[in-house]
Amino acid sequence: MIYNFLKVALRNLLRNKSFSIINILGLAIGLTCFIFIALWIQDEFSFDKHNEDFERIYQAGIDFKLGELEGRGITTTAPLAPAMMNEIPEVESGARFMSSSTKLVASQEVLSGFLEDNVYYADSTIFNVFTIPLLQGDPKDLLTRKKTVVITYSIAQKYFPTINPIGQNLTFDNNREYEVVGVVQDCPHNSHWKFDMLVSMISIQRAYSEEWLSDNLHTYFKLQPDADQQVVEKKINELFRRNAEPIFQQFVGVSISEWEKQGNHYFYVTTPLSRVYLYNEAMDSIGEVGDIRYVFLFAAIGFLILLVACINFMNLTTARSGVRAKEIGMRKVLGSNRRQLIQQFLFESLIISFIAMLIALITAQLLMPFFNELTDKELDLNFGGLYTFPIIIFVTLFVGFLAGGYSAVSLSSYDILTILKGSLFKGKSKSWFRNALVLFQFSISILVIVCTIIVYSQMKFVNSKKLGFQKEQLIVVDRAHILGDQLDVFKQEILKNPGIQFASKTYTVPGKGNDGSMYQKIDSPPEEMFHFRKVSGDFDYLKTLGIKLKSGRYFSADIASDSTAIVLNETAVRMPGYEDPIGQVIVEPGSNIKHQIIGVVKDYHTLSLHLDIPSLMMLHPSYYWKRYLAVRILPQNTAASLSFIKQKWLEFSGNQPLEFFFMDSYFESLYNNEMRSGTFFIIFAALAIFIACLGLFGLAAFTAEQKTKEIGVRKVLGASIPSIVSILLKQFTKWVLLANIIAWPIAYYIMKSWLQNFAYRIDLNISYFILSGMITLMIAIITVSYLSINAATRNPVEALKYE
C-alpha cells in the first residue's frame, strides 16, 4: 500500500508541475524562516545557562527615586558583597567586578602591545559564583594577590605564543605590571558579559572602600540551594539601611525614613541570572542585553510565516480538488473507503513537506554565514546534536499534517453521487473556506508590512533628529588622558592644521555615561533634592561640540570665581523651578561649597533617544580629569586632517596606538538592536508577501482555468479585455482590502508598544497604514493581472473548445 501511495503521489506531483513547485517553494521558504528564527530564539534563551547552578545566581542592583529621577541601576556599593557573605547565611558566595578603561597591554613577546577593552577588576570569589573553566594555573591562587591577572586562552595565544604564560608579566599602559596566574577558557558567545582579562580587585583602592552610598561596582552572588530570594533581598536591604543610615543622616541632614516621606526611595533588588539578559529593566547594562519582547515578536512572525505557507498548500489543494474529483469517484467505486483516501492525501502532503524541509535545510545551511553576520551571533544547525534530527522529523510531520490535514478530510468526504453528477463546486458555500484563507494570508502580510514601514520610519527619525549638538565632522580621541601634561600641547599642535577647526579636552562626550549627584537650593529643606548629571569640558567645549548657549555665559579662564560656578541645561533649570536662574546658588548636601549658576545652555541629547534629556550640570574645566579630546574638523579634507592627528599622536604618545571614533557613527551604533530588528522586518515582510503571492498566483491560475469557457463566451459577445480582467481582479482585491481592516488595529497595538522604548518617537498616523495597504493591493493586482490578461487575450475559439 505504501508503494502504491508513493507512486500515485509522485505521479500527481509530476503531472501538476506548476502547482507542485508553488506548494514546495512556499513551504520551503516558510520552513527556512522558521529554522532561522527558531535558532535565534534558542540562542536568546541560552544566555548564561552554561554556568553551573545558574538558577541560584543573582545580580544585585538598585531601585531608586531621587526627586524627579527614578529607575533601576545595576551598580552597587563596594562593601555590599563582603558584608553579604559575612552576615547573610543564605549567601553561599558573592563577587564584585568592575570594568576598566581601555588598556595598552604588552608582554615580553609582544613589545608593541595591543589595546584591550574587555579588562575587568574582579574578586577571587568570582570563580565560586560563575563557571569559568581553568586551563592553566593553581585554582587556589587566582586573583588572591595584588598585581595578578587571569587571562583567556585567546589572550594567552596572543601575548605568549611560544612560552607558558603562567608566571609571566603583562604590562598595562607602559607603567604597571601584572603577573599571569591563570588561563581560562574564552567566554562563550551566549554570556551576557565577556572578559579577556580579570585583574585582582585588591590591586585597586576601591576594593577596600567602606562607602555605603557610592555605587560603582557590579555585584553577583550565589545562594544556598534552599534559600528564598525574597527573604535574602529583604536581608540585603536591612543590611544596607543599617550601614548607610549614619552616613545618610550626616550627608543629607535627615534620616532615610524622613527622606522617603517626600516620595523618594533607594533600595536593593535582586535579579536571577536567567533573567538578566532578556528581562533587563535597568537604565544601564553590562555587556549584551536582549529583549524578551523581540523574542515573542519574532516567534510570532516565524510561526505566522510558516502558517501562511501551510495555508497556501491547503488553499491550492482544495481549489484543485475538482480536478481530482474523477479520481476520488473512481477510487470510491472501486471500493476505497474514506480512511484510505485520507491516508493517500496525507501521504502526498508529507512527501511535499519532506521535500520542502530538505530544501529548507540546504538553504539555511548556505545562508547561515549571512544570517550570523546580520544577527551578530554564532548559530549553526548542529546536525550532530542529539535532538536535531528528531526535531526536524517532528516539524516536518507537523507541517505535513497541518498543511494536508484539512485537504485530506475535505476531499475524502465527497459522496459518489455528488461527484458523478458534476455538482461538486456549485454554490458559493464551497469557496468560503478558500476566501477565508486568502483573507488570513494577506492579513498577516499586511501586519508585517505595517510594522516594517513604522520601524524603518522610526530609525530614519532617530538618525535624522537634531540632537542639540553637531555630531557631524566631530572626531573623539579616546584615552587622551594618557598624554598627561602633554595633552594641552597636543591640542595646540593639532589646531595648527587649517583643516581642524576646534578641539576640547573633556571628561565625557554625548553618548557616553556620566556621573551624577544630588543637589538642593540653598534655602530648601534637606529632603528636597534634585539629581543632576555632571559634565566637564575645557573652555572650548561648547564651540567644539556645537552646543548653543541660551543665556548667561560659559566658563572663563580669566575669572577665578568660576572654579565653583556651574552651567545648567534647560531641563536642569526647570527642576528647581527657577524663572531667572542666572546668579542663583545651589549646594551639594554635606558640602559647604556654593555653586553659582552663570549660564544656561540649550538642551542637547547626551544619551540615545530611548531616554529623555537628563538634567545636566556643567562644572569648571578643572573639576574632572579629561579622558577624551573632541576635535571638530572641516569637511573639505577629512582624510588629511585625520592623518595629521595620527601623526601628532605618535609624536606625543610614543608607541601608544590612537583610538578614536566619529560621533555620528557612534550615535548610530546606539540603535544596533533596532536596526537589526528593522532588517529582520524587511526580510520577513518580503518573504511573507512572496509566499502569499505564490498562493494568490496559484489560485488566480486555477480560477482563470475554471472560467475559460465563461471568458470565451464573454469575448464572443463583445466584452473588452479590461472588463474581463476586472472579473478576476474583483474576486481577489476585495479580500485584500478586507485584510487591511483586520491587520491595521493589530499592527497599531504592536507598534505603539514598541515605540514606547523611545522617549522621542514618530507619531502613528494613518499614512503608514494606507501606504501598507496600497503596497499590498498593488502586489495583489500585479500578481492576478498577469494571469487575468493572459486568459482574456486567448483566442475565444480555443476557450470554447476547452474540455
Side-chain angles (χ1 to χ4, degrees), residues 773-792:
M774 291 176 62
I775 291 173
T776 313
L777 185 60
M778 187 62 64
I779 293 173
I781 289 174
I782 292 172
T783 304
V784 177
S785 293
Y786 169 77
L787 293 166
S788 302
I789 294 172
N790 185 53

Side-chain angles (χ1 to χ4, degrees), residues 18 182 352 399 459 483 504:
S18 60
I352 291 176
V399 170
M459 290 299 99
L483 298 184
S504 173

Side-chain angles (χ1 to χ4, degrees), residues 577-707:
Y578 289 130
E579 293 184 7
D580 183 12
I582 305 301
Q584 300 288 348
V585 175
I586 62 175
V587 295
E588 186 173 7
S591 171
N592 295 321
I593 301 175
K594 298 179 180 179
H595 299 281
Q596 186 180 56
I597 303 171
I598 62 172
V600 177
V601 297
K602 291 188 176 181
D603 278 342
Y604 68 97
H605 290 272
T606 60
L607 301 170
S608 76
L609 297 186
H610 291 108
L611 303 171
D612 289 314
I613 293 176
S615 300
L616 285 183
M617 172 187 289
M618 294 182 173
L619 296 157
H620 190 265
S622 62
Y623 196 87
Y624 275 119
W625 64 290
K626 303 300 184 284
R627 174 175 177 171
Y628 304 100
L629 182 71
V631 182
R632 180 161 300 283
I633 61 176
L634 296 174
Q636 288 79 5
N637 202 341
T638 302
S641 299
L642 188 56
S643 177
F644 180 80
I645 293 173
K646 290 180 179 178
Q647 176 188 339
K648 289 297 179 182
W649 176 266
L650 290 175
E651 292 179 12
F652 281 85
S653 68
N655 67 340
Q656 296 269 14
L658 174 67
E659 188 175 17
F660 68 94
F661 57 88
F662 286 89
M663 182 58 74
D664 53 357
S665 298
Y666 175 75
F667 254 80
E668 289 178 9
S669 70
L670 297 178
Y671 311 104
N672 280 338
N673 285 340
E674 286 76 16
M675 296 296 285
R676 279 197 289 266
S677 300
T679 305
F680 276 8
F681 272 119
I682 292 172
I683 293 173
F684 293 143
L687 291 175
I689 282 290
F690 180 73
I691 295 172
C693 286
L694 279 178
L696 191 61
F697 184 87
L699 284 176
F702 176 70
T703 303
E705 184 181 352
Q706 279 189 321
K707 293 181 178 290

Side-chain angles (χ1 to χ4, degrees), residues 445-462 464 685 740-741 743-745 747-752 754-755 760-777:
S445 301
I446 293 164
L447 174 64
V448 179
I449 289 176
V450 172
C451 293
T452 301
I453 293 173
I454 293 173
V455 169
Y456 174 80
S457 299
Q458 175 63 18
M459 290 299 99
K460 185 177 179 181
F461 169 79
V462 163
S464 62
N740 279 278
I741 297 174
W744 287 1
Y748 177 84
Y749 174 77
I750 293 173
M751 285 294 97
K752 185 177 180 181
W754 180 76
L755 287 172
Y760 302 88
R761 50 187 176 266
I762 59 175
D763 294 324
L764 282 180
N765 57 64
I766 192 65
S767 62
Y768 299 114
F769 300 91
I770 293 176
L771 178 59
S772 68
M774 291 176 62
I775 291 173
T776 313
L777 185 60

Side-chain angles (χ1 to χ4, degrees), residues 101 181 187 225 379 386 582 599 695:
S101 59
V181 295
C187 295
L379 307 178
L386 178 64
I582 305 301

Side-chain angles (χ1 to χ4, degrees), residues 519-584:
Y519 289 85
Q520 58 189 171
K521 293 180 181 181
I522 195 168
D523 55 350
S524 65
E527 63 272 13
E528 290 186 10
M529 296 186 291
F530 308 97
H531 185 272
F532 297 96
R533 291 189 178 275
K534 299 176 181 178
V535 174
S536 180
D538 67 15
F539 301 106
D540 299 319
Y541 185 75
L542 294 190
K543 64 182 181 182
T544 302
L545 270 69
I547 299 170
K548 303 297 183 183
L549 190 67
K550 182 180 180 181
S551 62
R553 62 178 178 84
Y554 194 61
F555 302 104
S556 172
D558 300 324
I559 304 176
S561 61
D562 277 4
S563 61
T564 58
I566 57 173
V567 175
L568 303 181
N569 69 345
E570 293 172 296
T571 299
V573 169
R574 288 193 291 269
M575 290 185 65
Y578 289 130
E579 293 184 7
D580 183 12
I582 305 301
Q584 300 288 348

Side-chain angles (χ1 to χ4, degrees), residues 452-523:
T452 301
I453 293 173
I454 293 173
V455 169
Y456 174 80
S457 299
Q458 175 63 18
M459 290 299 99
K460 185 177 179 181
F461 169 79
V462 163
N463 289 323
S464 62
K465 187 182 185 301
K466 299 296 183 182
L467 300 177
F469 72 98
Q470 299 174 17
K471 68 178 186 295
E472 295 77 16
Q473 300 303 126
L474 186 63
I475 296 174
V476 179
V477 178
D478 200 354
R479 301 176 67 248
H481 64 276
I482 66 169
L483 298 184
D485 296 337
Q486 292 294 302
L487 183 55
D488 271 318
V489 183
F490 173 71
K491 172 185 170 181
Q492 297 306 320
E493 282 294 313
I494 65 172
L495 285 173
K496 293 177 182 178
N497 187 302
I500 297 176
Q501 192 175 12
F502 305 114
S504 173
K505 301 174 297 177
T506 172
Y507 162 67
T508 186
V509 292
K512 298 289 186 178
N514 41 25
D515 292 338
S517 294
M518 301 300 294
Y519 289 85
Q520 58 189 171
K521 293 180 181 181
I522 195 168
D523 55 350

